[in-house]
Amino acid sequence: MTIRIRPAEDGDAPAILGIILPVIRDGTTYALDTDMSDAAALAYWCGADKQTFVAEEGDTILGTYFIRPNQAGGGRHVCNCGYMTSATATGRGVARSMCAHSLTHAVSEGYRSMQFNFVISTNERAVKLWQSFGFDIVGRLPQAFRHPSLGYVDALVMHRFL
Amino acid sequence: MTIRIRPAEDGDAPAILGIILPVIRDGTTYALDTDMSDAAALAYWCGADKQTFVAEEGDTILGTYFIRPNQAGGGRHVCNCGYMTSATATGRGVARSMCAHSLTHAVSEGYRSMQFNFVISTNERAVKLWQSFGFDIVGRLPQAFRHPSLGYVDALVMHRFL
């Protein structure tokens, strides 16, 4: 499989929604309102404050990610990303490819660090993946996330320098 | 001094701007663009996602704070606040009064925790004040803030249950 990552275009909106809506509705990995509208979801993922990318194999979009400054002002040198993979493509390295791309892109944009603000501690696949890329857990937010089936669980702040 | 805290009203906008603009322009305690417009500053501080309060002594507004959900979806039970005090009123307990008010208000709103996402580590007065209210440092974001005179310094994530 060859995964190609490129900036999202307007015409990608249906494919992006096809990936992000199931993740949002599921409500186990992102702190987003599970009933948010399609338009609100798209506006969130492709907002003006973000650069949004898609990962495709041939003509099929398998994943999408965004990168943005994590804070304004004196915090603009730290970026933040969000990644989502199609449920049909899990375990095929799509998230890994997107993370690698985002780290390279972040350097080219002049960022000094990347921070994930709210990694759900029960999302072990994600925690391990980020750790394999050199991210450290720099904060643990006690019971910060109400998991639909597990109840209140911790969220992690993860960070690495670029 | 008797400090009274009440919800902000439209007519408070000039007084609120008189407090928040110097803090924003200074750029040493908040990760906000120091050149943001008056309108953008007011929109940020009094946005639809927030409840905004003012602290007044007699007819003079000495401080202002906001409270909002820190995350959407499964993170809505944790609130976040921002506090700013008039430079003319520092050391008179205004921030302390606002924090105490916000904790009581947060409980009445049904929040379970309060979290500060980005306390600049060099803002020792603030760190000590929050600790005196029982906040713990649950995260340290390395070099996350570019201080105008001190360079890159850590930011802290602080948390307490309600």
Side-chain angles (χ1 to χ4, degrees), chain B residues 70-131:
Chain B
N70 198 41
Q71 299 282 347
R76 281 198 178 275
H77 58 286
V78 181
C79 65
N80 167 250
C81 295
Y83 313 83
M84 291 188 187
T85 302
S86 167
T88 62
T90 50
R92 291 167 60 187
V94 179
R96 176 171 291 279
S97 295
M98 291 193 293
C99 186
H101 186 277
S102 68
L103 288 165
T104 301
H105 182 72
V107 170
S108 73
E109 292 284 304
Y111 288 113
R112 289 170 51 98
S113 302
M114 186 178 289
Q115 182 180 313
F116 304 144
N117 301 311
F118 208 80
V119 182
I120 315 302
S121 58
T122 51
N123 188 0
E124 294 177 13
R125 177 193 288 263
V127 175
K128 284 182 183 167
L129 181 58
W130 308 147
Q131 286 176 322

Side-chain angles (χ1 to χ4, degrees), chain A:
Chain A
M1 179 172 69
T2 302
I3 295 173
R4 176 174 165 253
I5 296 174
R6 60 165 176 80
E9 301 167 2
D10 287 347
D12 298 325
I16 291 174
L17 277 173
I19 292 169
I20 68 175
L21 284 178
V23 177
I24 294 170
R25 303 278 181 257
D26 173 61
T28 63
T29 56
Y30 274 78
L32 296 170
D33 292 326
T34 56
D35 61 351
M36 70 195 296
S37 70
D38 293 17
L42 198 63
Y44 168 76
W45 199 257
C46 304
D49 60 325
K50 302 180 176 83
Q51 295 174 285
T52 307
F53 292 83
V54 294
E56 58 189 1
E57 182 187 30
D59 291 339
T60 306
I61 293 178
L62 300 178
T64 177
Y65 86 85
F66 69 73
I67 181 169
R68 63 174 167 184
N70 199 40
Q71 299 282 346
R76 281 198 178 275
H77 59 287
V78 181
C79 66
N80 167 250
C81 295
Y83 313 83
M84 291 189 187
T85 302
S86 167
T88 63
T90 50
R92 291 168 57 188
V94 180
R96 175 172 292 280
S97 294
M98 292 193 292
C99 186
H101 186 277
S102 68
L103 288 165
T104 302
H105 182 72
V107 170
S108 73
E109 292 283 305
Y111 288 113
R112 291 171 49 99
S113 303
M114 187 178 290
Q115 182 180 313
F116 304 144
N117 301 310
F118 208 80
V119 182
I120 314 302
S121 59
T122 51
N123 189 359
E124 293 177 12
R125 177 192 288 264
V127 174
K128 284 182 184 168
L129 181 58
W130 308 147
Q131 286 175 324
S132 78
F133 275 104
F135 284 83
D136 292 321
I137 296 171
V138 297
R140 177 175 283 269
L141 315 176
Q143 302 180 32
F145 185 69
R146 186 173 189 170
H147 190 285
S149 58
L150 301 174
Y152 294 104
V153 299
D154 295 350
L156 308 176
V157 184
M158 301 188 72
H159 170 278
R160 65 159 273 183
F161 288 108
L162 298 175

Side-chain angles (χ1 to χ4, degrees), chain B residues 2-20 42 45-46 50-67 82-86 93-95 97-99 101-102 105:
Chain B
T2 302
I3 296 173
R4 175 175 166 253
I5 296 175
R6 60 165 174 82
E9 300 166 2
D10 286 348
D12 298 324
I16 290 173
L17 278 172
I19 292 170
I20 69 175
L42 198 62
W45 199 257
C46 304
K50 302 181 177 83
Q51 295 174 286
T52 307
F53 292 83
V54 294
E56 59 188 0
E57 183 185 33
D59 291 338
T60 306
I61 293 178
L62 300 178
T64 177
Y65 86 86
F66 69 73
I67 181 170
Y83 313 83
M84 291 188 187
T85 302
S86 167
V94 179
S97 295
M98 291 193 293
C99 186
H101 186 277
S102 68
H105 182 72

